[in-house]
Amino acid sequence: MAGGLERLWTPHRMTYIAGEDRPEGGYDKPAGCPFCLAPSRPPQESLVVARGEHVFAVLNLYPYNAGHLLVCPYRHVADYTDLDGPETAELASFTQTAMRVIRKVSNAHGFNLGMNQGGVAGAGIAAHLHQHVVPRWGGDANFMAVIGRTKVLPQLLGDTRDLLTRAWPS
């Protein structure tokens, strides 16, 4: 054991870090945008949890915590100011519902909510607006993330999707 440390390997993260799963030509056009494509994919493949008239909720493929959802407009827009009134209202409502559902199924103690507007602000897919809903629990930022630079997720994405979908109000 080099350095006397035990290692947990998360090689799936390298796909994200290296950008290996990016479509040719990038995310700027709807044809290559995973948020534009997700609603038309089969549920187990898309990780869509709930659908509204103007927005949908989808699990983050590279979550910060178990249950990390993204609320996205169907329309391919980059900036929050580009949303119209009904899209803005439904995005807010879906964010509230996501928080209620996550609290119900996993007893989250708190949440990080936010949008990274533009690549310089940290948006991995800057061309399609998405609101992060990240559940938090006391102690979830333990030594694994701080020292080990590794996140331990206790549940497969498909299982998380099924749990949240069943709890989402119709």
Side-chain angles (χ1 to χ4, degrees):
M1 212 180 325
L5 297 175
E6 187 175 339
R7 288 170 173 73
L8 294 176
W9 300 100
T10 56
H12 64 280
R13 293 288 298 164
M14 191 49 91
T15 300
Y16 175 73
I17 292 166
E20 294 171 8
D21 60 348
R22 289 186 185 175
E24 192 173 322
Y27 299 126
D28 291 340
K29 299 199 177 357
C33 175
F35 299 135
C36 290
L37 299 172
S40 64
R41 292 200 166 130
Q44 299 302 353
E45 187 182 318
S46 73
L47 299 175
V48 171
V49 170
R51 299 164 191 268
E53 185 178 343
H54 304 286
V55 304
F56 63 97
V58 62
L59 282 173
N60 189 331
L61 188 56
Y62 304 103
Y64 299 137
N65 264 343
H68 179 173
L69 285 174
L70 304 171
V71 180
C72 308
Y74 290 109
R75 197 162 56 95
H76 188 83
V77 297
D79 198 83
Y80 186 67
T81 61
D82 294 335
L83 294 179
D84 63 24
E87 288 169 326
T88 303
E90 193 172 57
L91 187 133
S93 175
F94 257 59
T95 300
Q96 290 176 326
T97 301
M99 292 172 66
R100 289 182 187 110
V101 167
I102 293 168
R103 277 191 184 115
K104 179 180 178 180
V105 302
S106 65
N107 298 310
H109 299 150
F111 291 88
N112 290 116
L113 303 174
M115 296 178 206
N116 300 326
Q117 294 284 266
V120 299
I125 302 175
H128 196 130
L129 175 80
H130 52 284
Q131 163 100 354
H132 292 262
V133 180
V134 183
R136 301 300 305 267
W137 296 268
D140 68 6
N142 62 20
F143 75 96
M144 288 299 294
V146 175
I147 296 171
R149 295 177 49 193
T150 300
K151 191 65 164 174
V152 178
L153 298 172
Q155 194 172 50
L156 296 172
L157 286 174
D159 294 343
T160 303
R161 181 206 168 278
D162 292 345
L163 187 66
L164 295 173
T165 300
R166 283 193 303 270
W168 199 278
S170 302

